mmCIF file of all heavy atoms in Angstrom:
data_model
loop_
_atom_site.group_PDB
_atom_site.id
_atom_site.type_symbol
_atom_site.label_atom_id
_atom_site.label_comp_id
_atom_site.label_asym_id
_atom_site.label_seq_id
_atom_site.Cartn_x
_atom_site.Cartn_y
_atom_site.Cartn_z
ATOM 1 N N PHE A 335 101.148 -76.660 35.032
ATOM 2 C CA PHE A 335 100.715 -75.457 34.292
ATOM 3 C C PHE A 335 100.943 -75.629 32.799
ATOM 4 O O PHE A 335 100.141 -75.192 31.973
ATOM 5 C CB PHE A 335 101.465 -74.209 34.817
ATOM 6 C CG PHE A 335 101.156 -73.894 36.266
ATOM 7 C CD1 PHE A 335 102.040 -74.197 37.243
ATOM 8 C CD2 PHE A 335 99.946 -73.309 36.607
ATOM 9 C CE1 PHE A 335 101.778 -73.900 38.583
ATOM 10 C CE2 PHE A 335 99.679 -72.984 37.934
ATOM 11 C CZ PHE A 335 100.587 -73.308 38.937
ATOM 12 N N VAL A 336 102.068 -76.245 32.465
ATOM 13 C CA VAL A 336 102.347 -76.431 31.016
ATOM 14 C C VAL A 336 101.299 -77.412 30.420
ATOM 15 O O VAL A 336 100.779 -77.113 29.313
ATOM 16 C CB VAL A 336 103.765 -77.044 30.838
ATOM 17 C CG1 VAL A 336 104.063 -77.349 29.392
ATOM 18 C CG2 VAL A 336 104.793 -76.110 31.427
ATOM 19 N N LEU A 337 101.008 -78.473 31.111
ATOM 20 C CA LEU A 337 100.028 -79.417 30.574
ATOM 21 C C LEU A 337 98.644 -78.787 30.555
ATOM 22 O O LEU A 337 97.852 -78.980 29.606
ATOM 23 C CB LEU A 337 100.011 -80.682 31.464
ATOM 24 C CG LEU A 337 99.046 -81.786 31.102
ATOM 25 C CD1 LEU A 337 99.372 -82.337 29.677
ATOM 26 C CD2 LEU A 337 99.091 -82.921 32.091
ATOM 27 N N GLY A 338 98.262 -78.008 31.569
ATOM 28 C CA GLY A 338 96.961 -77.366 31.587
ATOM 29 C C GLY A 338 96.821 -76.360 30.451
ATOM 30 O O GLY A 338 95.758 -76.316 29.819
ATOM 31 N N GLU A 339 97.842 -75.579 30.206
ATOM 32 C CA GLU A 339 97.754 -74.619 29.108
ATOM 33 C C GLU A 339 97.668 -75.301 27.767
ATOM 34 O O GLU A 339 97.017 -74.833 26.834
ATOM 35 C CB GLU A 339 98.981 -73.661 29.170
ATOM 36 C CG GLU A 339 98.962 -72.723 30.389
ATOM 37 C CD GLU A 339 100.232 -71.984 30.537
ATOM 38 O OE1 GLU A 339 101.166 -72.255 29.775
ATOM 39 O OE2 GLU A 339 100.312 -71.146 31.465
ATOM 40 N N GLU A 340 98.377 -76.447 27.622
ATOM 41 C CA GLU A 340 98.273 -77.198 26.368
ATOM 42 C C GLU A 340 96.884 -77.715 26.148
ATOM 43 O O GLU A 340 96.297 -77.633 25.028
ATOM 44 C CB GLU A 340 99.275 -78.376 26.408
ATOM 45 C CG GLU A 340 99.360 -79.128 25.085
ATOM 46 C CD GLU A 340 100.069 -78.314 23.995
ATOM 47 O OE1 GLU A 340 100.951 -77.501 24.332
ATOM 48 O OE2 GLU A 340 99.736 -78.514 22.853
ATOM 49 N N GLY A 341 96.267 -78.213 27.193
ATOM 50 C CA GLY A 341 94.880 -78.698 27.109
ATOM 51 C C GLY A 341 93.927 -77.579 26.779
ATOM 52 O O GLY A 341 92.985 -77.751 26.006
ATOM 53 N N LEU A 342 94.131 -76.353 27.379
ATOM 54 C CA LEU A 342 93.256 -75.226 27.055
ATOM 55 C C LEU A 342 93.434 -74.770 25.631
ATOM 56 O O LEU A 342 92.419 -74.401 24.983
ATOM 57 C CB LEU A 342 93.592 -74.083 28.015
ATOM 58 C CG LEU A 342 93.196 -74.265 29.455
ATOM 59 C CD1 LEU A 342 93.637 -73.065 30.315
ATOM 60 C CD2 LEU A 342 91.716 -74.458 29.626
ATOM 61 N N ARG A 343 94.620 -74.804 25.075
ATOM 62 C CA ARG A 343 94.814 -74.442 23.701
ATOM 63 C C ARG A 343 94.091 -75.416 22.744
ATOM 64 O O ARG A 343 93.473 -75.037 21.777
ATOM 65 C CB ARG A 343 96.306 -74.369 23.380
ATOM 66 C CG ARG A 343 97.015 -73.106 23.853
ATOM 67 C CD ARG A 343 98.350 -72.926 23.232
ATOM 68 N NE ARG A 343 99.260 -74.008 23.648
ATOM 69 C CZ ARG A 343 100.071 -73.899 24.702
ATOM 70 N NH1 ARG A 343 100.061 -72.810 25.474
ATOM 71 N NH2 ARG A 343 100.884 -74.900 25.021
ATOM 72 N N MET A 344 94.201 -76.711 23.090
ATOM 73 C CA MET A 344 93.510 -77.711 22.266
ATOM 74 C C MET A 344 91.980 -77.520 22.325
ATOM 75 O O MET A 344 91.297 -77.613 21.307
ATOM 76 C CB MET A 344 93.886 -79.106 22.736
ATOM 77 C CG MET A 344 95.329 -79.494 22.389
ATOM 78 S SD MET A 344 95.759 -81.139 23.068
ATOM 79 C CE MET A 344 94.461 -82.118 22.277
ATOM 80 N N ASP A 345 91.469 -77.254 23.524
ATOM 81 C CA ASP A 345 90.058 -77.044 23.671
ATOM 82 C C ASP A 345 89.586 -75.769 22.938
ATOM 83 O O ASP A 345 88.489 -75.747 22.345
ATOM 84 C CB ASP A 345 89.701 -76.960 25.180
ATOM 85 C CG ASP A 345 88.209 -76.853 25.397
ATOM 86 O OD1 ASP A 345 87.465 -77.832 25.104
ATOM 87 O OD2 ASP A 345 87.740 -75.803 25.883
ATOM 88 N N ARG A 346 90.428 -74.719 22.993
ATOM 89 C CA ARG A 346 90.084 -73.498 22.267
ATOM 90 C C ARG A 346 90.057 -73.731 20.763
ATOM 91 O O ARG A 346 89.173 -73.224 20.062
ATOM 92 C CB ARG A 346 91.077 -72.411 22.640
ATOM 93 C CG ARG A 346 90.637 -71.010 22.204
ATOM 94 C CD ARG A 346 91.647 -69.968 22.646
ATOM 95 N NE ARG A 346 91.829 -70.033 24.087
ATOM 96 C CZ ARG A 346 92.977 -70.343 24.679
ATOM 97 N NH1 ARG A 346 94.024 -70.675 23.961
ATOM 98 N NH2 ARG A 346 93.082 -70.353 26.000
ATOM 99 N N ALA A 347 91.027 -74.502 20.296
ATOM 100 C CA ALA A 347 91.074 -74.798 18.816
ATOM 101 C C ALA A 347 89.865 -75.633 18.437
ATOM 102 O O ALA A 347 89.288 -75.443 17.333
ATOM 103 C CB ALA A 347 92.371 -75.523 18.510
ATOM 104 N N ARG A 348 89.452 -76.571 19.242
ATOM 105 C CA ARG A 348 88.291 -77.403 18.932
ATOM 106 C C ARG A 348 87.016 -76.542 18.956
ATOM 107 O O ARG A 348 86.157 -76.723 18.061
ATOM 108 C CB ARG A 348 88.140 -78.509 19.973
ATOM 109 C CG ARG A 348 86.944 -79.427 19.745
ATOM 110 C CD ARG A 348 86.879 -80.532 20.777
ATOM 111 N NE ARG A 348 86.741 -80.016 22.134
ATOM 112 C CZ ARG A 348 86.641 -80.779 23.211
ATOM 113 N NH1 ARG A 348 86.641 -82.089 23.066
ATOM 114 N NH2 ARG A 348 86.544 -80.284 24.425
ATOM 115 N N SER A 349 86.902 -75.573 19.844
ATOM 116 C CA SER A 349 85.730 -74.726 19.892
ATOM 117 C C SER A 349 85.637 -73.839 18.654
ATOM 118 O O SER A 349 84.549 -73.577 18.126
ATOM 119 C CB SER A 349 85.727 -73.864 21.145
ATOM 120 O OG SER A 349 85.740 -74.671 22.309
ATOM 121 N N MET A 350 86.790 -73.368 18.179
ATOM 122 C CA MET A 350 86.797 -72.490 17.022
ATOM 123 C C MET A 350 86.474 -73.230 15.712
ATOM 124 O O MET A 350 86.048 -72.637 14.731
ATOM 125 C CB MET A 350 88.140 -71.800 16.891
ATOM 126 C CG MET A 350 88.480 -70.851 18.024
ATOM 127 S SD MET A 350 90.129 -70.174 17.911
ATOM 128 C CE MET A 350 89.993 -69.210 16.397
ATOM 129 N N ARG A 351 86.656 -74.549 15.752
ATOM 130 C CA ARG A 351 86.380 -75.361 14.534
ATOM 131 C C ARG A 351 85.061 -76.133 14.620
ATOM 132 O O ARG A 351 84.809 -77.004 13.800
ATOM 133 C CB ARG A 351 87.513 -76.343 14.336
ATOM 134 C CG ARG A 351 88.816 -75.653 13.896
ATOM 135 C CD ARG A 351 89.996 -76.610 13.984
ATOM 136 N NE ARG A 351 91.230 -76.057 13.472
ATOM 137 C CZ ARG A 351 92.020 -75.198 14.106
ATOM 138 N NH1 ARG A 351 91.679 -74.802 15.338
ATOM 139 N NH2 ARG A 351 93.119 -74.702 13.559
ATOM 140 N N PHE A 366 90.771 -86.902 22.075
ATOM 141 C CA PHE A 366 91.265 -85.625 22.634
ATOM 142 C C PHE A 366 92.321 -85.876 23.687
ATOM 143 O O PHE A 366 93.401 -85.306 23.678
ATOM 144 C CB PHE A 366 90.111 -84.841 23.194
ATOM 145 C CG PHE A 366 90.499 -83.501 23.757
ATOM 146 C CD1 PHE A 366 90.513 -82.374 22.940
ATOM 147 C CD2 PHE A 366 90.829 -83.378 25.100
ATOM 148 C CE1 PHE A 366 90.870 -81.122 23.482
ATOM 149 C CE2 PHE A 366 91.211 -82.143 25.613
ATOM 150 C CZ PHE A 366 91.223 -81.008 24.793
ATOM 151 N N ARG A 373 101.125 -84.959 23.104
ATOM 152 C CA ARG A 373 101.747 -83.632 23.164
ATOM 153 C C ARG A 373 102.486 -83.444 24.468
ATOM 154 O O ARG A 373 103.604 -82.838 24.477
ATOM 155 C CB ARG A 373 100.684 -82.553 22.996
ATOM 156 C CG ARG A 373 100.123 -82.465 21.580
ATOM 157 C CD ARG A 373 99.308 -81.194 21.407
ATOM 158 N NE ARG A 373 98.806 -81.065 20.045
ATOM 159 C CZ ARG A 373 98.207 -79.941 19.600
ATOM 160 N NH1 ARG A 373 98.034 -78.936 20.408
ATOM 161 N NH2 ARG A 373 97.793 -79.894 18.353
ATOM 162 N N ARG A 377 106.424 -82.671 24.954
ATOM 163 C CA ARG A 377 106.921 -81.539 25.755
ATOM 164 C C ARG A 377 107.811 -82.009 26.869
ATOM 165 O O ARG A 377 108.859 -81.353 27.176
ATOM 166 C CB ARG A 377 105.713 -80.786 26.323
ATOM 167 C CG ARG A 377 106.046 -79.557 27.167
ATOM 168 C CD ARG A 377 106.699 -78.483 26.289
ATOM 169 N NE ARG A 377 105.737 -77.965 25.360
ATOM 170 C CZ ARG A 377 104.893 -76.972 25.624
ATOM 171 N NH1 ARG A 377 104.902 -76.403 26.805
ATOM 172 N NH2 ARG A 377 104.091 -76.543 24.686
ATOM 173 N N ARG A 380 111.245 -82.618 25.520
ATOM 174 C CA ARG A 380 111.991 -81.395 25.259
ATOM 175 C C ARG A 380 112.492 -80.779 26.565
ATOM 176 O O ARG A 380 113.621 -80.264 26.640
ATOM 177 C CB ARG A 380 111.096 -80.413 24.518
ATOM 178 C CG ARG A 380 110.777 -80.835 23.105
ATOM 179 C CD ARG A 380 110.284 -79.643 22.246
ATOM 180 N NE ARG A 380 109.050 -79.154 22.762
ATOM 181 C CZ ARG A 380 107.821 -79.550 22.358
ATOM 182 N NH1 ARG A 380 107.754 -80.536 21.478
ATOM 183 N NH2 ARG A 380 106.736 -79.036 22.854
#
Side-chain angles (χ1 to χ4, degrees):
F335 297 103
V336 177
L337 181 61
E339 291 172 355
E340 187 70 31
L342 290 178
R343 283 194 294 268
M344 290 177 56
D345 184 66
R346 192 178 303 116
R348 180 179 61 178
S349 299
M350 295 175 65
R351 290 167 175 79
F366 181 89
R373 289 192 177 189
R377 180 67 65 88
R380 291 198 296 270

